[in-house]
Every structure is written in C-alpha cells, then in structure tokens.
C-alpha cells in the first residue's frame, strides 16, 4: 500500500468534502428512508391545502398525546399541547426541563402552497360552458397550470355560522376540473408572447361544466344547472361564494420517481416536505432540555402577512402563553431562542444549470440544505444568519452524522426569494433556513429526494430533542 502524499494528506485535512449522501446510505438506512417517505406521501395526499394539513397534523399530534392548549393548566416537563390558529396554521409545543426564558428550540415550516384560488364571485357562463374566474396564489408559472386535472378544496362559510367543507376531484370516481389552453394549430399569435406572459392571469379560467338546465327557457342555463348541483351537494347559493375559500390544486397523487424509486414527485412539497419532518420530530421527543415548538404556518407564499402568517404576532402569542404559564418574561424567551426556518431551496437542475453558481448550489441527495440568506438585489429582504448561529447548526449536524449542504437561491442578481426566517429573526430569535432541495419548485408537480427528506427529519429531531 502506497503512503499518501503530503498533498493528499493536506487535501484531506483542509478541503471541504461534501459527497452524495446515497453513497454512504446502506440498505438498513435506505429502508428507514423509504418507510419515512411512505408516511410523508400519505400526509401529502391527505392534506392538499393548509386547512387539511392542519387537520391531519393535529390528528397525528393527538395520537402522540398532544392536547389543545389550556391556559388554566399548569404545564410541566414533557407536557404536549397544540394551538390551532383558525384551522389554517398550528403550533405544537413540548414543554422542556428549563423554563422558556432559557430559550426555545423553534422549527417553523409553512403549509400553504402555490395554487389557483377562486375569485369571490367566480361562477359564469360563456359559450354554453360554465367556468370559474380565479386569482392565482403565490408565485406560479401560469402556463404550467393549464390542461392538467385540478381538484377543488376549501370551505363555504355560511351566514348562519356553519362551514361546509369542499374536497372534490381527488378520487378516481369524482369529477375534476381543468384550465383550457389553445391547440397548437391556433396558437400562432399566443406563441409570440414571452413564456412568462404565455398564459395571463385572467386566462386562468377553470372549466366546470357544460350541461344546460333542461325544459326551461331564459339565459345561463348551464350556470343554473351547476348552481342547482352545488345547492344539492353543499346547500349553497351563488352568494355563498362571497364567503368561501376555494382553492384549485393539481389532482395528482404523490408518486415515486425514477427506476430506482429514489425521488418523490408531488404537488405541495414546498413546504410540506419540511412541515412533515418538523411535525414528526416534535411528536417523537419526550422530555427535551428546552421547550420545543414546531410551527406550521400559512401565507408564506404571499409574504407571510395576515393573522395566520408568521409576519404577525402568532408566534409571539404562543411564546407569551407558555412564558406566562411559567411566570417568566416572553421577550427574554424570544431573545434566547433558536429557530430552524424549515423551508425548501432550489436544487440544481441538470437541464438548467446556468441559473446556479455551482459552488454554492444545492443538489439532490446531498442532504438537508442550509441557506444562510435568501433575499435578492444584494441580500435585501432577508435575515442573513450569523456566523455564530451557523457554527452551532454545523456542529449539531456533524455531531449527529447528518448529511447536509449549503444552498443559495440562484446566482447573484438572478434569483432570489424569501422565507419566514426574517420575520422570526426580527423578534430577536437566532434563525437560519434549513430544508429540502426541490426540483421544479412551485410547479404543479415538484420533485424531491427521499434521502434529503429523511435527513431533514433527522435534523428537526436533533434540534428539538
Ligand atoms: Mn417555501
Ligand atoms: Mn415557495
């Protein structure tokens, strides 16, 4: 055996070495990875919109012993409770050994995903067809949302205070919906538009029916027939759309991708692929040294504003409740807290490598991705995590043997984006983005690696335990 040269020894000692995590993933571990991801795929299929995810998450948490928060209870170490914020966001808390003024370990993911929302007055008839007018939610490439099966999820809230749940289009025996597009033969004018302008916002109209109400005269018979069907199924009239939240999402089930089944294709990985690991981790810890909170937030895709988003006092209220319970100051708790803003980052796409700067781009199967800053235009609108906090996270990950990498949201002055990190950082908490790299992010069908999902779950567990 030949001795290693001086250069080889030095290289080993000094160079950074990040490897494809699957190279050192043996069969026993791969089994754990795939088992975990089967649970994740079910979670994705069961929760297609934020309300459904809250419902499923609470179901999972209750099985693990979580109860609704009760201000009259004196909480003690190991107690588990949750706070449901308007059925659209939730926080899960496990009380630690130390009081919260010693700091809290917070994980924060979001459970809203880009989609097509119905307008308040959506229903109309044109050319003997019934359609819905829509207003898209979040950053979508509009052309990707045409000519694919869509399902409708959400609620009608009625004047009598009752709320009717809607979920239609997911099952084989249910009807689904579609946004039409031109045939190539007649698209010559449309094809001259730029890709971003190829389908316009007001062209995202959803086809929902074509059968006229029979044996009568008068206009809008197709619309009338649709309303009659909706009235029979949900007990609603056209006016009830005014107080509805109805969201159109791809009617596509999560599927394994690749001959080797190493990837998952699904709608809504951003950010349920971080929400599920955060939820699983917090439901598995028992008596952490510090109190752990996992937040599943709404509204991230539209800037985190509103009372279910994290640019609100939602987190402050949660921390204040537990601080009050323990007789300590919640502002001290926040200032001593640490947070993983669990969100996805873009993975390098071999077909579109130019948008990345290769030394700092995340790759599939290299593990959880730590993103020091997002933002754009010279790090504007982001929380740039401190060197000290990144050092803490590095040490935690390396000590636990978790595969991880760093990432950026595209090359300088090209890409950019935001997460909940800055809103939490603005409360005085140390925060960094950490999550799963994704291909075709914000598309109706996004792709992640199973290995990266599992390493992100291990990270969440390590951070909370
Ligand atoms: Mn996200
Ligand atoms: Mn997003």
């Amino acid at each position: 055996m030949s001795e290693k040269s001086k250069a080889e020894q030095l290289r080993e000692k000094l160079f950074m070495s990040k490897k494809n995590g699957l190279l050192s993933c043996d069969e026993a571990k791969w089994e754990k990875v795939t088992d975990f991801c089967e649970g994740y795929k079910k979670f994705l299929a069961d929760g297609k919109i934020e309300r459904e995810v809250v419902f499923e998450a609470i179901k999972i948490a209750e099985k693990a012993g979580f109860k609704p928060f009760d201000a009259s209870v004196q909480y003690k170490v190991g107690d588990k409770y949750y706070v449901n914020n308007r059925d659209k966001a939730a926080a899960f808390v496990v009380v630690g050994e130390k009081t919260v003024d010693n700091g809290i370990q917070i994980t924060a993911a979001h459970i809203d995903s880009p989609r097509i929302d119905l307008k308040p007055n959506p229903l109309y008839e044109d050319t003997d067809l019934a359609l819905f007018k829509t207003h898209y939610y979040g950053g979508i490439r509009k052309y990707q949302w045409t000519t694919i099966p869509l399902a409708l999820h959400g609620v009608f809230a009625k004047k009598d205070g009752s709320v009717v749940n809607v979920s239609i289009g997911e099952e084989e025996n249910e009807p689904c919906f579609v946004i039409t597009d031109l045939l190539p033969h007649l698209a010559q004018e449309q094809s001259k538009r730029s890709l971003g302008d190829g389908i316009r916002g007001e062209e995202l109209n959803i086809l929902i029916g074509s059968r006229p109400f029979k044996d009568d005269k008068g206009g809008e018979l197709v619309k009338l027939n649709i309303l009659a069907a909706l009235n029979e199924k949900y007990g609603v009239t056209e006016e009830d759309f005014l107080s509805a939240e109805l969201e159109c999402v791809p009617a596509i089930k999560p599927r394994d991708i690749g001959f080797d089944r190493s990837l998952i294709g699904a709608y809504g990985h951003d950010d349920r692929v971080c929400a599920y690991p955060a939820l699983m981790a917090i439901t598995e810890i028992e008596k952490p040294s510090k109190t752990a909170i996992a937040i599943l937030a709404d509204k991230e895709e539209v800037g985190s504003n509103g009372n279910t988003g994290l640019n609100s006092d939602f987190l402050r209220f949660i921390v204040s409740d537990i601080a009050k319970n323990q007789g300590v100051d919640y502002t001290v708790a926040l200032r001593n807290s640490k947070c993983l803003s669990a969100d996805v980052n873009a993975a390098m796409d071999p077909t579109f490598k130019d948008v990345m700067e290769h030394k700092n781009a995340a790759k599939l199967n290299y593990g959880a991705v730590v993103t020091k800053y997002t933002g754009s235009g010279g790090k504007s609108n982001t929380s740039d995590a401190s060197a000290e906090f990144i050092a803490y996270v590095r040490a935690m990950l390396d000590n636990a043997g978790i595969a991880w990498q760093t990432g950026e949201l595209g090359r300088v002055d090209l890409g950019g984006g935001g997460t909940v990190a800055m809103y939490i950082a603005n409360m005085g908490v140390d925060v960094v983005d950490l999550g799963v790299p994704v291909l075709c992010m914000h598309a109706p069908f996004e792709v992640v690696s199973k290995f990266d999902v599992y390493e992100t779950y291990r990270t969440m567990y390590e951070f909370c335990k």
Side-chain angles (χ1 to χ4, degrees):
M1 201 176 80
S2 61
E3 285 263 304
K4 279 184 183 160
S5 75
K6 182 86 179 156
E8 281 173 314
Q9 290 172 32
L10 264 182
R11 189 175 289 117
E12 234 165 66
K13 184 180 164 195
L14 300 178
F15 275 19
M16 179 161 74
S17 87
K18 291 281 181 197
K19 294 197 180 77
N20 184 321
L22 287 180
L23 290 172
S24 51
C25 176
D26 59 21
E27 284 306 312
K29 177 158 180 189
W30 182 245
E31 202 172 311
K32 285 185 191 166
V33 170
T34 51
D35 278 358
F36 184 81
C37 286
E38 285 309 303
Y40 171 51
K41 281 157 64 184
K42 183 176 184 311
F43 183 77
L44 277 174
D46 290 345
K48 298 286 289 265
I49 62 166
E50 60 282 1
R51 286 174 187 268
E52 294 167 357
V53 177
V54 165
F55 182 80
E56 292 301 325
I58 286 177
K59 213 159 74 179
I60 290 169
E62 283 184 338
K63 262 189 210 152
F66 284 72
K67 297 195 167 69
F69 174 71
D70 177 352
S72 70
V73 170
Q74 184 56 55
Y75 286 105
K76 51 187 196 310
V77 185
D79 281 350
K80 302 172 177 191
Y81 67 81
Y82 64 86
V83 177
N84 176 349
N85 184 356
R86 297 170 169 81
D87 291 339
K88 296 204 278 188
F92 301 86
V93 181
V94 179
V95 179
E97 281 161 10
K98 298 176 181 162
T99 50
V100 294
D101 51 331
N102 292 284
I104 300 170
Q105 299 290 96
I106 302 165
T107 53
H110 68 92
I111 52 174
D112 60 316
S113 298
R115 58 181 191 248
I116 313 275
D117 285 351
L118 299 199
K119 289 194 186 192
N121 183 19
L123 180 58
Y124 71 104
E125 177 175 335
D126 193 347
T127 323
D128 289 5
L129 298 173
L131 301 108
F132 279 145
K133 290 302 295 179
T134 69
H135 196 143
Y136 65 97
Y137 173 97
I140 63 166
R141 307 188 74 190
K142 301 179 192 82
Y143 73 88
Q144 295 178 335
W145 293 72
T146 64
T147 65
I148 58 166
L150 296 170
L152 187 68
H153 294 249
V155 295
F156 285 103
K158 300 213 270 186
K159 284 202 287 187
D160 64 7
S162 63
V163 173
V164 184
N165 286 309
V166 174
S167 171
I168 182 165
E170 298 290 351
E171 302 305 325
E172 290 292 320
N173 61 351
E174 288 174 353
C176 62
F177 312 97
V178 68
I179 295 168
T180 57
D181 193 4
L182 274 174
L183 57 167
H185 319 64
L186 299 181
Q188 279 151 33
E189 290 299 321
Q190 186 199 34
S191 297
K192 288 179 194 151
R193 299 181 186 175
S194 66
L195 187 57
D197 190 42
I199 292 290
R200 294 172 180 153
E202 291 294 356
E203 292 169 345
L204 293 171
N205 301 317
I206 300 175
L207 182 61
I208 57 162
S210 69
R211 198 173 166 191
F213 192 85
K214 283 230 180 62
D215 304 323
D216 211 331
K217 44 190 182 304
E220 300 190 298
L221 291 175
V222 180
K223 173 178 163 178
L224 179 64
N225 201 45
I226 293 286
L227 277 173
L230 289 173
N231 186 260
E232 189 180 290
K233 192 169 169 64
Y234 303 113
V236 296
T237 66
E238 190 175 14
E239 267 199 16
D240 289 318
F241 278 102
L242 298 175
S243 52
E245 281 176 7
L246 294 165
E247 308 172 7
C248 255
V249 298
I252 308 172
K253 290 203 190 317
R255 300 277 299 270
D256 286 349
I257 299 267
F259 290 113
D260 56 11
R261 308 184 84 107
S262 58
L263 309 165
I264 307 170
Y267 164 70
H269 281 313
D270 179 8
D271 187 30
R272 289 152 204 166
V273 76
C274 298
Y276 184 72
L279 177 68
M280 286 299 106
I282 200 139
T283 56
E284 286 164 15
I285 58 172
E286 287 301 335
K287 285 183 177 169
S289 147
K290 292 182 178 179
T291 292
I293 302 181
I295 300 210
L296 306 188
D298 181 28
K299 295 285 181 273
E300 193 278 340
E301 295 295 355
V302 290
S304 293
N305 291 309
N307 56 13
T308 53
L310 276 174
N311 188 18
S312 74
D313 284 331
F314 172 37
L315 174 59
R316 229 184 294 266
F317 294 156
I318 306 284
V319 173
S320 167
D321 283 340
I322 181 69
K324 209 181 291 174
N325 198 269
Q326 299 179 343
V328 299
D329 185 343
Y330 88 92
T331 65
V332 178
L334 279 171
R335 278 176 280 162
N336 287 329
S337 291
K338 295 183 172 69
C339 173
L340 295 181
S341 162
D343 208 343
V344 299
N345 199 338
M348 176 112 85
D349 184 328
T351 309
F352 301 104
K353 282 196 283 201
D354 288 358
V355 300
M356 299 291 194
E357 183 274 289
H358 298 195
K359 274 183 71 65
N360 288 281
K363 285 155 86 178
L364 292 186
N365 290 322
Y366 278 65
V369 50
V370 175
T371 306
K372 189 172 185 294
Y373 50 84
T374 57
S376 59
K379 296 191 177 181
S380 282
N381 270 311
T382 185
S383 159
D384 195 345
S386 73
E388 290 84 349
F389 187 53
I390 301 264
Y392 162 85
V393 172
R394 270 179 68 200
M396 175 190 80
L397 291 163
D398 286 343
N399 291 340
I402 293 168
W404 68 282
Q405 57 185 327
T406 53
E408 255 192 331
L409 204 42
R411 60 180 162 84
V412 177
D413 286 342
L414 173 89
T419 64
V420 301
M422 67 173 167
Y423 305 112
I424 297 175
N426 289 347
M427 295 179 197
V429 178
D430 273 315
V431 188
V432 70
D433 282 305
L434 187 149
V436 176
V438 181
L439 283 179
C440 22
M441 193 198 295
H442 287 202
F445 197 64
E446 305 172 309
V447 177
V448 298
S449 117
K450 291 182 177 178
F451 177 77
D452 297 337
V453 177
Y454 189 68
E455 294 302 276
T456 298
Y457 153 71
R458 289 181 63 213
T459 305
M460 298 298 146
Y461 183 81
E462 202 60 32
F463 183 74
C464 295
K465 76 166 196 219

